[in-house]
Amino acid sequence: MTSSFPEQPRTTWASAPPPQCPAHDRFGAADGLARLFGPEAAEDPMGLYERLRARHGSVAPVLLDGDLPAWLVLGYREILEVAGTPARFSRDSRNWRWFKEGRVPPDSPLLPMIAWQPVCLFLDGEERARLRLAVTESLERFNRRGIRRHITRFTHQLVDGFAGRGEADLAEEFCEHLPMLVLTQLLGMPDEYGPRLVAASRDMVAGTETSVASNAFIVETLTDLVRRKRGSRGHDITSWLIDHSSGLTDEEVWNHLRVILIAANETTVNLLKSTLRMVLTDPRCHASLAGGQMTLPDVVEQVLWSEPPLMTVPGRWAAVDTEVGGQKVEAGDMLLLCLAAGNYDPAVRPDPSVPLHGNRSHLAFSSGPQECPGQNIGRAIADTGIDALLSRLPDVRLSIPEEELRWTSGWMTRHLASLPVTFTASRTTDSAASAGPAAAPATAAASLTSATAGHPARGATGNGSGPAAGPRVPFPSVPFPSVPFPPVAPPPVPAHRRRTSWWRSFKAWLHG
């Protein structure tokens, strides 16, 4: 497939690592270290990873925000080794030497993602097993049909907002909203919370100077949700976590809801964007779909190999002095798992241009005991949402040359900034109205404009390397309405004017 990682100028290295850097003696002050926060890493993360691999091998020393050193694990096998041996590589961030020495400032953009929390991501042993069991079993209680019902409903609502124009930015008006709208239903929230949580979650993961405030907003919202569900259960993940036999406290419940919300939204937004880009731009993908050689789920798996939703995952701290990838790692060092680089490791993927149909051994959802338990929800949102979108807009096409597409990066993610398309305008149907009062905003994208007005992260560079535009102010409190929200009935599938397209032809062929 066509690469979406253009080559950029040579790496700029820091002039010298800070005192007590675990790699200081080995590489010396003159050589310096590469920074994962900064404009160059944002412009060309994959190029940076490959230059680090060429220079250091499968494990490379890097600097995080505030010039705090860490190890970046680039090799496929080394990622599996670190992720699968908790006795050597703990999940407990309190082991990080820079936390112990008080060198991490309270407003560090790293904190929302690495500060210790009472969740399975930061625990080892029996306590981790207890909490992970509650999360896994609660997520598995949703059947695929029930999830797809929500996906289809919200896809129609979003498409209704722009179908009559004949043009849209699918990144801004579709991909940014669909996952969070679905997740609010799975967590037991009313629809209108989705747009407000979209901006806060993306700002937090991007590592901007307002990420701490974004995290506080999310925490307040989820704390209120748990309080409400304690008094009124529902058919949702929040209620199931509360009632699980593992006996979670309120703090454990909302902390795990935060993990589910942030991880599932961020990864699925990026997966939607990359999959749509591939469908719209890659000739081999287009031909395969039309010829019946590749299904949409196959395309999703190819994207998970080539453009994983999370490039880098923080979350391992050396429990003992050890060695990995030929590097001597000291107890207390942080290790970052570079999933994107692992998927391109020449040792396991010597020719990235070869399709990997049906191969799910990628690292997109991490690996081993920490593998994402909600990955099938993300897959369902991607293939069901895109299927419904293409059925509504069968002649959709990119409105600018592929080389003009632009990306935005943080220290963990890389995603399309926009995906402008054109298509034949069609009459929209009021999907929201037919779904009942709980589906009230007909276009969730329109709700975002008013919900995020004055948001401190709007206008930020999004690359985690500089301050966001506008004053840094905390998010407003968003109390839940005092009236209970009835369950949402699925809307009838709207009738749309049929147009001949390769997508319709392929689906007709596939179903006989």
Side-chain angles (χ1 to χ4, degrees), residues 12 73 76 123-124 129 146 169 227-228 256 261 308 380 388 451 462 466:
T12 300
V73 186
Y76 184 95
L123 293 168
D124 300 308
D169 182 343
R227 178 185 58 79
R228 286 181 56 79
H256 282 89
L261 194 71

Side-chain angles (χ1 to χ4, degrees), residues 229-247:
K229 289 296 179 180
R230 281 286 182 192
S232 178
R233 304 289 201 277
H235 188 75
D236 52 68
I237 295 173
T238 307
S239 299
W240 295 334
L241 285 175
I242 291 173
D243 290 336
H244 196 271
S245 59
S246 295

Side-chain angles (χ1 to χ4, degrees), residues 59 77-78 80-92 95 124 316-333 335:
V59 178
R77 292 186 179 91
E78 288 74 16
L80 295 181
E81 177 184 353
V82 172
T85 52
R88 293 163 56 204
F89 304 103
S90 172
R91 298 173 181 86
D92 193 334
N95 290 323
D124 300 308
R316 295 297 186 277
W317 289 266
V320 295
D321 291 349
T322 185
E323 183 175 316
V324 60
Q327 302 284 20
K328 293 182 179 180
V329 178
E330 297 180 5
D333 290 352
L335 296 98

Side-chain angles (χ1 to χ4, degrees), residues 54 64 158 161 172 208 217 243 285 292 305 318 342 369 410 464 498 501:
L64 300 177
L158 290 167
E172 173 82 19
T208 71
F217 168 77
D243 290 336
C285 170
W305 269 103
R498 291 187 175 273
S501 72

Side-chain angles (χ1 to χ4, degrees), residues 439-453:
T443 62
S447 300
L448 179 66
T449 304
S450 58
T452 59

Side-chain angles (χ1 to χ4, degrees), residues 258-431:
R258 173 182 172 277
V259 171
I260 294 169
L261 194 71
I262 300 304
N265 179 68
E266 181 68 18
T267 56
T268 310
V269 166
N270 294 342
L271 181 59
L272 276 169
K273 291 180 178 180
S274 295
T275 304
L276 272 171
R277 184 199 65 81
M278 185 174 175
V279 168
L280 294 172
T281 64
D282 194 307
R284 288 169 291 181
C285 170
H286 190 290
S288 296
L289 283 170
Q293 300 169 12
M294 183 188 293
T295 65
L296 191 52
D298 290 333
V299 179
V300 171
E301 294 305 318
Q302 182 66 41
V303 169
L304 289 170
W305 269 103
S306 300
E307 299 178 27
L310 290 179
M311 297 187 302
T312 302
V313 177
R316 295 297 186 277
W317 289 266
V320 295
D321 291 349
T322 185
E323 183 175 316
V324 60
Q327 302 284 20
K328 293 182 179 180
V329 178
E330 297 180 5
D333 290 352
M334 180 197 284
L335 296 98
L336 309 173
L337 307 184
C338 191
L339 308 181
N343 279 353
Y344 275 90
D345 188 342
V348 296
R349 195 179 174 193
D351 186 357
S353 66
V354 175
L356 296 161
H357 300 168
N359 189 333
R360 286 194 173 190
S361 60
H362 54 72
L363 300 171
F365 295 109
S366 192
S367 176
Q370 199 59 46
E371 189 171 17
C372 175
Q375 57 185 274
N376 287 331
I377 293 177
R379 286 187 173 100
I381 293 175
D383 64 58
T384 302
I386 293 175
D387 184 22
L389 174 78
L390 294 175
S391 296
R392 288 286 301 271
L393 310 173
D395 62 347
V396 64
R397 56 199 176 276
L398 200 63
S399 61
I400 63 174
E402 181 184 359
E403 56 270 19
E404 293 182 13
L405 293 174
R406 295 293 178 262
W407 280 259
T408 301
S409 298
W411 68 299
M412 293 174 57
T413 63
R414 184 175 192 265
H415 58 91
L416 276 170
S418 64
L419 193 62
V421 296
T422 57
F423 46 85
T424 301
S426 62
R427 181 179 62 83
T428 62
T429 58
D430 192 359
S431 301

